[in-house]
């Protein structure tokens, strides 16, 4: 039997990424730091869905203070989350300074990026009627 456990993404600013996912509705379920390995793991999940987590891996800066940089992997597409109200979710994200790369013009789907550039698809639970300002918003950047 196979069971989904989690998706791991590497992050450079764990608290900014936790805040980002909090705007979508995910909450921290647990955190583990390993001093010897110089990393912190932070697990997030939507309430009631703790068996489908996102693992944020933060590799601490090297002894000389240098920090790893991560580019998007070609073999990774995006994370996807169903939301109760895509317009309210996108508005919360915009109010927090997040760019809506692909606005929910159709009342069903939007794309945003985490602070580290990971693409996140937001899908409306059902479909909402197309509404402004979303219907007229252009795509921004890549998604």
């Amino acid at each position: 039997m196979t069971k989904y456990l989690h998706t791991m993404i590497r992050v450079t600013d764990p608290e900014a990424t936790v805040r980002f996912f909090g705007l979508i509705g995910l909450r921290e379920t647990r955190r583990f730091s390993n001093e010897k390995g110089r990393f912190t793991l932070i697990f997030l999940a939507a309430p009631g869905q703790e068996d489908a987590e996102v693992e944020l891996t933060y590799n601490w800066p090297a002894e000389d203070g240098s920090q790893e940089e991560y580019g998007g992997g070609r073999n990774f597409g995006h994370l996807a989350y169903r939301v109760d109200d895509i317009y309210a979710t996108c508005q919360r994200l915009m109010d927090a300074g997040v760019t809506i790369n692909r606005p929910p013009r159709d009342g069903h789907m939007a794309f945003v990026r985490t602070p580290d550039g990971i693409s996140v698809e937001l899908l409306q639970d059902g479909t909402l009627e197309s509404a402004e300002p979303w219907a007229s918003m252009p795509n921004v950047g890549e998604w």
Side-chain angles (χ1 to χ4, degrees):
M1 182 173 113
T2 301
K3 180 181 177 186
Y4 172 82
L5 296 177
H6 65 265
T7 298
M8 183 276 276
I9 58 175
R10 290 181 180 88
V11 301
T12 56
D13 186 338
E15 298 316 316
T17 306
V18 168
R19 280 192 304 276
F20 171 85
F21 281 110
L23 294 167
I24 296 171
L26 275 65
R27 300 291 175 255
E28 185 173 327
T29 58
R30 57 198 159 103
R31 184 181 290 231
F32 171 77
S33 291
N34 182 308
E35 185 115 6
K36 184 176 180 183
R38 302 187 52 77
F39 66 86
T40 299
L41 305 180
I42 304 165
F43 292 85
L44 309 170
Q49 299 178 42
E50 288 77 12
D51 61 345
E53 296 176 306
V54 172
E55 172 192 328
L56 308 180
T57 297
Y58 173 62
N59 293 309
W60 301 354
E63 297 290 334
D64 66 5
S66 62
Q67 179 73 42
E68 289 185 51
E69 293 183 24
Y70 306 111
R74 290 185 48 132
N75 61 342
F76 182 82
H78 63 265
L79 302 172
Y81 293 96
R82 182 178 5 251
V83 297
D84 289 333
D85 185 332
I86 198 163
Y87 295 140
T89 301
C90 286
Q91 189 63 56
R92 247 190 341 273
L93 288 161
M94 277 182 50
D95 290 348
V98 174
T99 299
I100 308 300
N101 300 99
R102 194 282 191 190
R105 288 185 293 275
D106 55 4
H108 179 68
M109 177 182 68
F111 278 87
V112 294
R113 289 188 173 270
T114 70
D116 287 293
I118 304 288
S119 184
V120 177
E121 178 182 23
L122 304 173
L123 294 167
Q124 172 64 39
D125 188 8
T127 301
L128 298 178
E129 292 294 318
S130 181
E132 294 297 342
W134 313 105
S136 300
M137 290 177 74
N139 291 341
V140 177
E142 296 179 358
W143 43 278

